[in-house]
Amino acid sequence: MPSATNTPLNIAVIGAGLGGLAAAVALRREHHNVTVYERYDFAGEVGASLSAAPNGSKFLERWGVDVKAAKPVILRKLLMHDWKTGETQSEYDLGDYKAKFGTAYNNFHRIDIHKQLLKSAFEEPGEGPPCILKVNHKATSIDPEAGTIEFENGHSTTADLIIAADGIRSLTRLQLGITPKFTLSTSCCYRCIISAEKLRSLGLDDYIDNEAIEYWGGFGINKIVMSPCSDGDVVSCYCFYPSEYNNLREDGWNISASPEMLLETFPDLDPRMRKLFAEAEDIKMWRLYRHDPYPYWIKGRVCLLGDAAHPMMPDQSQGSCMAFEDAGALGLIFRRGFREEYSVQTGLGLYEALRKPRATRVQEASFRAREDLNERIGWSSKTDRPGKLTIEEVCGYDMEEHLQELLAATT
């Protein structure tokens, strides 16, 4: 019979995206009882590539997620191309991230890593009781003090801890009294993929073989970012352009588009990239927003996580890593036996103190990098300003040490 201090928490996670599943896995590993509530009839993740630098990938490894089965490409360099000719203008060697920071720089297809997080959360192998998934459960009302959730389907539940991982349009955030302040970005984005087989038939083999994040533009709104994923079977592109070009107003990041639209948007781009665009697949448009940092992330028994807490531009490739860090923080704070030292409410206070300043700094750096590639972690130039976000700051971060500092300051 476990002692009262080791009694597991009953935890509700709202949202079965990458952040929600990461939180579920992290807390399963600490032997808590976790139920994940997904608003839709669950069909899986969509999207293109997802960069997981060492600060995010190390938590996947710690939780026992089968990273290899998620078919990552290990990124080894950054390449900058001339917008019109495609000529390589500069190359930055990322070096051996595993040797430097303990974990490789993985580039996943979102679908591949989502599948592995699903297995880690809900299947039998691994530490802790498997999580429970309930689909078609849209949370409509939350009492943060009582820890109760009411769902659109008439069901309700009570939890010791509620983690709101319900995305950039979070309904939970509003329930906590947070009214987001955001503006339409001056940028929109296409995302698309193309298979390695098709690239090779087009004579574009190097785009698969470079093991690189490759850029066109980036000084101003126009920017193309390309990288291989899924064991090199797929190349993924993110293509930024001025929002005034087509005045996209529809919300979301899954709005269908065509190769013709891509080609019309970038008429003077490198001919090789235009050849790729003509054969691109799964092309979607994405309206970007700039969110101001929120005043708080916690209330009662509830905390925000991932895009629900800190939506950011994609230009530092840190959105998923920040969600994995959020989940990692919850696993460290609510470790087995934590109640010998502090309560759930105290733990949530630690979570906000641990995560909010760091995520906000990355969020702000992502805003700056939207139109200035010199702000991108990894690029270094004579124009670097004091206080620029660095690879060492991001990838070398020691969360356990930071948490111990916070705990020492409270005693």
Side-chain angles (χ1 to χ4, degrees):
M1 177 81 61
S3 67
T5 54
N6 284 323
T7 302
L9 296 174
N10 289 315
I11 298 173
V13 178
I14 302 174
L18 293 167
L21 292 180
V25 174
L27 291 160
R28 175 190 175 181
R29 295 295 180 245
E30 298 303 320
H31 286 244
H32 297 297
N33 299 313
V34 183
T35 303
V36 179
Y37 297 92
E38 169 57 41
R39 66 186 298 180
Y40 298 115
D41 184 5
F42 196 69
E45 185 60 271
V46 296
S49 66
L50 176 156
S51 291
N55 59 306
S57 287
K58 71 178 181 181
F59 286 106
L60 299 175
E61 292 182 358
R62 176 178 297 173
W63 301 327
V65 176
D66 192 342
V67 170
K68 185 176 181 181
K71 302 185 287 188
V73 170
I74 308 302
L75 295 176
R76 304 192 185 280
K77 55 188 173 182
L78 306 178
L79 295 176
M80 175 56 114
H81 297 275
D82 180 84
W83 180 267
K84 292 186 177 181
T85 68
E87 181 182 348
T88 300
Q89 295 179 313
S90 58
E91 180 173 330
Y92 184 90
D93 186 356
L94 291 174
D96 188 340
Y97 267 53
K98 189 173 181 64
K100 192 185 302 183
F101 300 115
T103 311
Y105 193 140
N106 294 302
N107 204 49
F108 299 107
H109 195 296
R110 294 182 70 91
I111 293 172
D112 294 333
I113 189 60
H114 191 260
K115 286 179 180 177
Q116 296 310 313
L117 284 167
L118 281 169
K119 290 181 179 181
S120 295
F122 303 113
E123 295 187 4
E124 194 64 42
E127 283 278 310
C131 306
I132 296 168
L133 175 64
K134 292 187 178 290
V135 298
N136 297 314
H137 275 66
K138 179 182 178 180
T140 55
S141 179
I142 295 173
D143 183 332
E145 303 302 332
T148 58
I149 311 171
E150 295 181 2
F151 299 97
E152 190 175 61
N153 60 15
H155 294 173
S156 63
T157 193
T158 301
D160 300 311
L161 171 61
I162 299 171
I163 300 164
D166 49 348
I168 193 170
R169 287 168 289 282
S170 170
L171 300 177
T172 309
R173 192 169 52 211
L174 299 175
Q175 299 275 325
L176 300 190
I178 300 171
T179 302
K181 294 182 179 179
F182 61 90
T183 55
L184 289 169
S185 169
T186 56
S187 307
C188 291
C189 183
Y190 294 101
R191 57 176 172 81
C192 63
I193 59 174
I194 186 168
S195 69
E197 181 181 8
K198 190 171 285 188
L199 283 171
R200 298 195 196 287
S201 73
L202 295 170
L204 302 175
D205 307 52
D206 52 311
Y207 290 162
I208 285 287
D209 300 332
N210 283 340
E211 298 180 312
I213 308 177
E214 305 192 42
Y215 295 87
W216 289 255
F219 301 97
I221 293 175
N222 283 330
K223 181 173 72 173
I224 311 296
V225 186
M226 182 179 70
S227 57
C229 58
S230 202
D231 275 346
D233 290 333
V234 173
V235 157
S236 167
C237 297
Y238 290 88
C239 313
F240 299 87
Y241 64 95
S243 56
E244 63 205 38
Y245 175 76
N246 59 5
N247 198 29
L248 177 65
R249 292 282 170 172
E250 188 176 347
D251 200 11
W253 81 311
N254 211 29
I255 306 161
S256 293
S258 66
E260 291 73 24
M261 293 168 71
L262 261 178
L263 290 166
E264 289 170 3
T265 305
F266 305 103
D268 59 346
L269 182 62
D270 169 10
R272 297 182 84 231
M273 280 302 292
R274 286 179 56 81
K275 184 188 290 190
L276 182 155
F277 285 171
E279 300 294 331
E281 304 154 343
D282 193 26
I283 306 169
K284 306 293 182 183
M285 288 187 292
W286 178 13
R287 189 66 172 94
L288 299 177
Y289 297 85
R290 175 171 178 160
H291 281 244
D292 291 345
Y294 304 139
Y296 53 89
W297 293 7
I298 63 170
K299 188 173 184 180
R301 303 185 196 180
V302 183
C303 70
L304 302 175
L305 180 145
D307 282 347
H310 44 72
M312 59 185 67
M313 294 291 185
D315 297 86
Q316 295 287 7
S317 301
Q318 275 289 310
S320 59
C321 284
M322 289 296 103
F324 295 157
E325 283 193 11
D326 292 347
L330 290 171
L332 290 173
I333 291 166
F334 296 108
R335 68 191 186 284
R336 276 172 281 180
F338 79 94
R339 288 200 257 201
E340 296 173 2
E341 299 179 52
Y342 46 80
S343 65
V344 169
Q345 283 71 23
T346 299
L348 286 178
L350 285 167
Y351 169 73
E352 183 173 279
L354 187 65
R355 294 298 306 136
K356 193 170 185 295
R358 177 168 165 85
T360 298
R361 176 158 163 72
V362 175
Q363 183 184 40
E364 291 171 344
S366 297
F367 296 152
R368 295 193 300 272
R370 172 69 293 276
E371 297 184 25
D372 184 358
L373 195 58
N374 284 329
E375 291 285 352
R376 175 67 161 80
I377 55 172
W379 290 110
S380 181
S381 78
K382 61 185 179 182
T383 63
D384 283 355
R385 61 176 184 79
K388 175 187 170 181
L389 191 70
T390 67
I391 283 181
E392 288 71 25
E393 179 183 352
V394 171
C395 297
Y397 175 60
D398 188 332
M399 186 181 290
E400 291 96 328
E401 181 179 341
H402 188 184
L403 177 58
Q404 289 307 311
E405 290 171 357
L406 290 176
L407 286 167
T410 62
T411 57

